Amino acid sequence: MNNLEKIAVIGAGTMGSGIAGQIANSGREVFLIDIYGDDDHPNAFAEAGYRRLLNPKQPGLIHPDVGQRIRLGNLRDHINELSGYDWVAEAVVERLEIKQEIYRKLDAITDDRTIITSNTSTIPIRLLTEGLPESFCRRFAVTHFFNPVRFMRLLELVGSDKTDPEVLNRLDDFCDRQLGKGVIRCGDTPGFLANRIGVYSLQLALFKAFELNLSASEADAIFGRPMAFPKTGVFGLYDLIGIDLMADVVKSLKRILPENDAFHEVSAELPMINFMIENGQIGNKNGQGFYRIDDNGDRHEFNRQSREYEPHKKPGIAIAEQAERTGLKVLLDDEGVYGQYAWQVLSKVLVYSASLIPEVTDDLVAIDDAMKLGYNWVNGPFEILDMLGVDYVASRLESEGRRVPGFMEKGRKTGFYVLRNNRLSTLQVNASHVAIPRPEGVLRFHEVRRQIKPQNTTESASWYEHDGIVVVEFHSKANALNQDSMNILADALENVISRGNKGLIVHNDAQHFSCGVDLSRVRGFFEKDDLDGLDSFLKHFQATVMALKNAGFPVVVAPVGMSIGGGYEVVLHAPEVICHANSVMGLVESGVGLIASGGGCKETLYRWVEKLDCEHEIDNACWKAFMNLGYGTTTTSPVLAMEQAMLRGNDRYEINRDRVYASARASILSGKNQEPLVRRDLKIPGKPLFDKMTDWLNEALANGKLMKHDTIVATEIATILTGGDVEPGTIFSEEDFLERERRSFLKLVETRQTQERIVGLLDTGKAVRN
């Protein structure tokens, strides 16, 4: 299939700059154009868009140097240069007359080879292309990206009845393989799929919260993790998006949706929303919305009755917490106000989703994918129906005198996802089942998992055999690691060869690979004064990751999302890592008064020795490791991780996270990377370098750059890396480093300051500085 090499983006606002940034992330040059500034700064608007990509809180580029691939320009001086381009993506303001003016200019200067797309989500293609020649319409489509472009996985691809199918195929393939998007083909219908269901869900959740007089925190505690929706909930997500922007989106959908659409039941203007917008309380971008963070970092919640902010308190809703542990149905069956809220919102969302088939789409997978990739739902509407039981939902609707949509009725007998010939298949409009079509190289483990049975499983982790390869999956809350997690990993490692498998992969396609060791378990150890039990856990953790490192067969760790703390220590000991382009990695234990004790300090030092090629004089490597570990350095991309010695030369990444697992499988099956990760003994610097590090810490403390306990933690890090009070040239093996890691961890966990940090983080979610 032909590639798209010469690409331009017109419009350098939030979306346009984000699209240009992701194209640059793919390794391609891109021309970012906006309106003319002034004679002194003709590219001022494009330059502002470029600066937006460099925001350290949400970087649009996988590395600052990637920005060199973005050329900046303006419509007055540069639009004629777009002749001969392969793809021009328009992402200007949602005003039809402005878009059409650009299209007319593009039609005059480009030929049939140039694909033209719009990022619109509200204007139909028939209006966008009205008055333009047939030749233009054949090469025109909508590519609807989601914000922020680098991190949101969904791309809705829309053509008209005039669009050349090959144009759609080329865009589909390019945006999947090169831009890392989950591409969903949509009809040219109002709101397409994700926003049509997603905005309806948010409006419904908002209206019902007002109707049932739930506070923002109460509603968010329900319409969040217990329902497998993002933890922001509805009010938190309103703040994140912007209350004013959400009001505009609602008005747009209200204007374009059919009169009989259920959305109109929740589209009326709310006086409270209008008040907040008029009062400048429009969300995170303005510092205050339904929630506000004060100068001390304390969270406050807007009281809709008093119209004042009050200190935020976690509602502590027992039924919601139980639903997180045991499943959603326990919440839906609750007769209290929280159960009513959950059922009234979710049932309407499920009915609405099912009612879109077949009028809007005949593909239920497209709807499920749209909500998972575009709104970060853990499960799509039809997956939720299967988990609850379609008959359970339909029967309850009937008992309330509510209509069961026709397509939901068809799913009552078999469900929407079934196994047919050992392949996951989905219900079609004609009541048959067809295997889910995925592009070559796209493999989602949560879909694979439904076709195989675990060989060993606990609440925290499982291992499977999948076509000759052992796969370990962590699946605790935030994939935090505990004894069960490591038992499963150890058992899987022991069974690879005996079962005749080709290798082992550690992977999951949850939001995060692992957010570290479960701190609540660590708390349990020190509150019970069971340091022997804690030491036993640490020894087993170390032995397990060492077995991973030294396995006599191919091993790939394939993380997506965050791999921090103990989760990253698993990554560190992998002979090969294949991760996602947005993977976040780092050892963050110092923040809670601990040190990385699962081989993290050891391996960080070895990585820097390897990177600096300084095996015979490791002082510089010790300093690098000291800084990384002491500051809890994290990186937001594999490219940055390479610079910080967090990944090695044979590690690599995929820009599309749906291709990470397939890539890991391909590596195992290729027979490469079968050599264990060898770590030779090191001559350590000893007391001279240790004294330099402690002098540096004392100076930083005196200058107010570190807290007292920070220096105590960092002193333990220095002791591990240099050997502390030992002679220069003393030989340390991996086992020596591991033993010192455990010793330092246990020493720190006994301190009042570390215990305060752990308890404070677990109980309040805030970092304690002491």
Side-chain angles (χ1 to χ4, degrees):
M1 184 170 290
N2 291 330
N3 215 338
L4 303 174
E5 294 295 341
K6 297 189 68 175
I7 305 172
V9 178
I10 299 178
T14 299
M15 293 306 301
S17 61
I19 295 167
Q22 189 65 359
I23 293 168
N25 288 336
S26 77
R28 283 160 180 77
E29 294 187 355
V30 58
F31 198 176
L32 179 60
I33 298 174
D34 208 302
I35 60 175
Y36 180 79
D38 55 43
D39 290 345
D40 292 329
H41 301 94
N43 301 333
F45 290 96
E47 290 167 359
Y50 175 77
R51 288 194 297 272
R52 191 178 292 112
L53 294 171
L54 304 179
N55 178 4
K57 294 182 178 179
Q58 196 174 76
L61 304 176
I62 61 175
H63 190 282
D65 290 350
V66 167
Q68 297 174 11
R69 300 178 186 138
I70 303 175
R71 179 189 173 197
L72 305 177
N74 66 82
L75 282 167
R76 190 196 72 172
D77 298 333
H78 300 114
I79 191 167
N80 288 333
E81 295 183 27
L82 301 184
S83 174
Y85 269 59
D86 298 314
W87 176 22
V88 178
E90 168 269 306
V92 303
V93 64
E94 292 284 85
R95 288 175 55 184
L96 181 60
E97 68 276 13
I98 294 177
K99 292 177 183 288
Q100 284 200 324
E101 181 182 357
I102 291 172
Y103 300 155
R104 285 192 290 270
K105 290 180 180 178
L106 290 174
D107 182 52
I109 63 174
T110 62
D111 57 26
D112 290 350
R113 69 172 283 187
T114 304
I115 296 172
I116 312 294
T117 69
S118 174
N119 189 60
T120 186
S121 63
T122 60
I123 305 175
I125 291 179
R126 62 176 175 79
L127 295 180
L128 291 171
T129 59
E130 188 174 26
L132 289 160
E134 193 86 7
S135 59
F136 182 89
C137 297
R138 283 197 297 269
R139 54 194 176 103
F140 184 86
V142 166
T143 45
H144 180 218
F145 292 85
F146 280 66
N147 184 46
V149 177
R150 176 184 166 191
F151 298 101
M152 295 304 294
R153 299 165 62 192
L154 179 62
L155 173 79
E156 291 179 317
L157 177 60
V158 188
S160 70
D161 56 357
K162 298 178 181 179
T163 307
D164 184 346
E166 183 60 19
V167 166
L168 297 176
N169 291 338
R170 291 181 67 192
L171 288 168
D172 191 331
D173 184 74
F174 180 83
C175 292
D176 166 4
R177 294 177 184 275
Q178 307 302 328
L179 300 189
K181 299 303 169 187
V183 181
I184 294 177
R185 301 279 188 104
C186 298
D188 189 21
T189 57
F192 307 137
L193 291 178
N195 279 346
R196 186 157 182 178
I197 297 172
V199 177
Y200 172 74
S201 302
L202 292 176
Q203 279 298 104
L204 178 63
L206 190 79
F207 265 67
K208 286 296 179 181
F210 282 14
E211 182 181 306
L212 296 172
N213 198 31
L214 298 181
S215 68
S217 57
E218 286 177 312
D220 288 349
I222 301 298
F223 190 83
R225 282 175 169 162
M227 297 173 73
F229 294 157
K231 65 179 181 179
T232 53
V234 55
F235 290 94
L237 188 53
Y238 253 76
D239 277 358
L240 182 64
I241 296 170
I243 296 172
D244 55 338
L245 178 58
M246 275 300 302
D248 289 340
V249 171
V250 169
K251 289 176 184 176
S252 296
L253 284 175
K254 182 178 181 179
R255 186 176 64 252
I256 63 178
L257 285 172
E259 291 183 3
N260 63 345
D261 195 275
F263 181 81
H264 295 296
E265 299 172 8
V266 292
S267 65
E269 290 189 12
L270 292 168
M272 179 57 65
I273 297 294
N274 291 338
F275 167 81
M276 295 182 75
I277 294 173
E278 291 168 4
N279 204 39
Q281 297 167 268
I282 56 176
N284 295 356
K285 60 186 176 183
N286 208 38
Q288 57 179 0
F290 291 109
Y291 299 100
R292 184 182 70 185
I293 308 295
D294 66 17
D295 293 339
N296 296 320
D298 294 319
R299 198 180 197 202
H300 296 258
E301 181 177 341
F302 185 65
N303 184 313
R304 299 195 300 273
Q305 281 70 46
S306 67
R307 299 193 174 185
E308 300 289 340
Y309 285 96
E310 300 173 350
H312 174 258
K313 295 180 181 179
K314 287 187 177 181
I317 301 172
I319 192 65
E321 295 170 357
Q322 184 181 350
E324 281 194 66
R325 296 190 304 271
T326 63
L328 178 57
K329 191 175 287 187
V330 68
L331 175 60
L332 299 178
D333 287 339
D334 183 69
E335 295 181 355
V337 66
Y338 300 126
Q340 294 175 39
Y341 178 65
W343 168 252
Q344 289 178 27
V345 172
L346 185 62
S347 64
K348 283 181 174 289
V349 170
L350 297 177
V351 166
Y352 189 71
S353 300
S355 71
L356 299 181
I357 294 179
E359 284 78 11
V360 174
T361 180
D362 58 3
D363 185 2
L364 70 88
V365 177
I367 289 178
D368 279 352
D369 281 356
M371 302 319 300
K372 290 187 292 184
L373 304 184
Y375 275 77
N376 286 331
W377 290 13
V378 175
N379 306 108
F382 295 97
E383 291 174 327
I384 294 172
L385 280 164
D386 274 358
M387 287 189 298
L388 294 174
V390 184
D391 188 63
Y392 163 84
V393 175
S395 297
R396 190 163 173 181
L397 291 173
E398 290 171 337
S399 72
E400 297 174 357
R402 296 164 63 185
R403 188 182 72 84
V404 177
F407 190 64
M408 187 184 293
E409 185 67 44
K410 290 181 179 180
R412 288 180 85 160
K413 290 184 179 180
T414 62
F416 294 105
Y417 291 85
V418 299
L419 281 177
R420 288 285 189 270
N421 299 319
N422 206 35
R423 293 189 64 187
L424 191 61
S425 302
T426 59
L427 182 68
Q428 305 297 296
V429 174
N430 64 5
S432 65
H433 288 84
V434 173
I436 299 176
R438 294 292 184 202
E440 182 182 356
V442 167
L443 200 57
R444 298 179 183 173
F445 186 69
H446 73 271
E447 293 177 354
V448 171
R449 188 181 57 209
R450 296 181 67 166
Q451 304 169 51
I452 54 180
K453 294 182 179 180
Q455 303 300 306
N456 192 358
T457 185
T458 67
E459 288 187 4
S460 301
S462 303
W463 71 265
Y464 305 80
E465 287 180 324
H466 178 213
D467 292 343
I469 296 174
V470 169
V471 185
V472 175
E473 180 191 41
F474 302 135
H475 46 67
S476 60
K477 184 176 180 180
N479 289 330
L481 303 179
N482 53 37
Q483 188 69 48
D484 284 347
S485 311
M486 304 315 291
N487 284 340
I488 289 292
L489 179 54
D491 186 56
L493 284 162
E494 291 174 3
N495 276 276
V496 172
I497 294 178
S498 64
R499 288 174 176 254
N501 287 289
K502 298 180 176 65
L504 180 140
I505 296 171
V506 187
H507 172 74
N508 62 74
D509 53 12
Q511 185 177 6
H512 299 302
F513 176 73
S514 173
C515 293
V517 169
D518 187 349
L519 280 179
S520 65
R521 301 293 180 97
V522 176
R523 178 182 185 175
F525 281 118
F526 69 68
E527 288 185 342
K528 295 176 182 177
D529 197 25
D530 183 15
L531 294 189
D532 288 340
L534 179 55
D535 190 34
S536 178
F537 167 71
L538 295 176
K539 286 180 180 178
H540 183 252
F541 193 110
Q542 290 178 344
T544 303
V545 295
M546 288 292 284
L548 188 78
K549 181 182 80 72
N550 297 323
F553 45 80
V555 171
V556 176
V557 176
V560 296
M562 284 199 296
S563 307
I564 57 175
Y568 178 54
E569 288 178 300
V570 174
V571 175
L572 272 172
H573 288 84
E576 182 183 15
V577 175
I578 299 176
C579 59
H580 181 226
N582 296 337
S583 292
V584 174
M585 299 180 184
L587 295 169
V588 297
E589 287 85 351
S590 62
V592 289
L594 295 171
I595 57 97
S597 58
C601 297
K602 163 191 74 77
E603 193 59 30
T604 298
L605 176 57
Y606 274 106
R607 294 291 178 101
W608 275 112
V609 169
E610 186 177 62
K611 184 174 181 64
L612 299 177
D613 192 19
C614 62
E615 185 176 346
H616 302 294
E617 175 56 63
I618 70 169
D619 285 34
N620 288 341
C622 287
W623 273 110
K624 291 285 189 179
F626 178 67
M627 291 299 175
N628 276 20
L629 294 164
Y631 281 116
T633 301
T634 59
T635 57
T636 56
S637 79
V639 182
L640 293 169
M642 290 279 186
E643 290 186 349
Q644 293 297 319
M646 293 181 178
L647 290 176
R648 302 166 64 242
N650 70 312
D651 298 331
R652 51 197 172 87
Y653 67 91
E654 294 283 345
I655 198 165
N656 189 332
R657 64 178 288 165
D658 283 340
R659 294 180 175 273
V660 170
Y661 177 56
S663 185
R665 282 186 55 81
S667 181
I668 294 285
L669 295 173
S670 73
K672 298 178 182 178
N673 300 305
Q674 295 189 28
E675 294 297 322
L677 191 58
V678 175
R679 294 305 190 204
R680 290 189 288 270
D681 295 349
L682 293 176
K683 291 182 180 180
I684 57 174
K687 192 174 187 305
L689 184 58
F690 174 76
D691 289 343
K692 290 180 181 179
M693 288 182 175
T694 53
D695 288 345
W696 184 92
L697 290 172
N698 290 330
E699 183 178 349
L701 177 65
N703 292 334
K705 295 180 179 180
L706 294 176
M707 304 292 287
K708 177 62 177 176
H709 197 56
D710 294 330
T711 65
I712 293 172
V713 174
T715 299
E716 292 302 316
I717 296 171
T719 301
I720 296 165
L721 297 174
T722 67
D725 191 16
V726 301
E727 289 296 319
T730 300
I731 301 297
F732 266 31
S733 66
E734 285 189 273
E735 289 71 23
D736 292 323
F737 286 114
L738 291 172
E739 190 274 332
R740 286 178 176 249
E741 285 182 5
R742 293 200 317 277
R743 188 191 308 170
S744 290
F745 190 98
L746 295 171
K747 180 179 178 180
L748 289 168
V749 88
E750 286 190 285
T751 65
R752 172 184 56 81
Q753 294 90 340
T754 288
Q755 293 182 10
E756 286 177 351
R757 290 188 181 192
I758 293 173
V759 171
L761 183 65
L762 290 174
D763 289 353
T764 69
K766 293 177 60 177
V768 174
R769 307 299 298 141
N770 52 21

